[in-house]
Amino acid sequence: MAYVAVRGDIILRKPDKRPMVFTCIEQAYNYAQRLFMHDVCWIETLREHGIVLYDMNEVAERYKKEAQDGLGQNKTRK
């Protein structure tokens, strides 16, 4: 089985600089929480919240087709 682990990360441009992000310890604690879900449940949760999801197999097929079409156009131009 596959599970999804969701957590927040603060990405800093300069790792040596630590900005004051949280105003209290409770905010930091809440932000540090993680969510673990079965992958099917995670996808369903995303759908319930109106997130547009893509079938990656379809995306890969479309990418292959566009890449092949692009190569075919380059050959005819030479």
Side-chain angles (χ1 to χ4, degrees):
M1 281 192 195
Y3 288 88
V4 175
V6 180
R7 68 176 192 169
D9 277 329
I10 298 171
I11 300 175
L12 305 173
R13 291 180 140 199
K14 297 180 180 179
D16 56 330
K17 303 273 182 177
R18 298 284 179 208
M20 215 27 210
V21 177
F22 306 111
T23 58
C24 69
I25 193 103
E26 185 179 1
Q27 284 180 336
Y29 174 79
N30 289 337
Y31 190 82
Q33 298 302 305
R34 289 182 171 88
L35 175 66
F36 295 96
M37 297 179 95
H38 187 272
D39 58 348
V40 174
C41 298
W42 174 245
I43 290 170
E44 188 58 35
T45 300
L46 292 174
R47 286 187 178 128
E48 288 171 2
H49 286 83
I51 305 300
V52 177
L53 301 173
Y54 297 93
D55 180 333
M56 294 311 291
N57 292 322
E58 291 176 13
V59 171
E61 286 300 319
R62 186 171 177 182
Y63 179 77
K64 283 182 194 175
K65 184 176 187 243
E66 289 178 6
Q68 288 173 352
D69 291 346
L71 290 174
Q73 289 174 0
N74 289 339
K75 287 180 183 177
T76 56
R77 289 183 190 166
K78 289 183 180 178

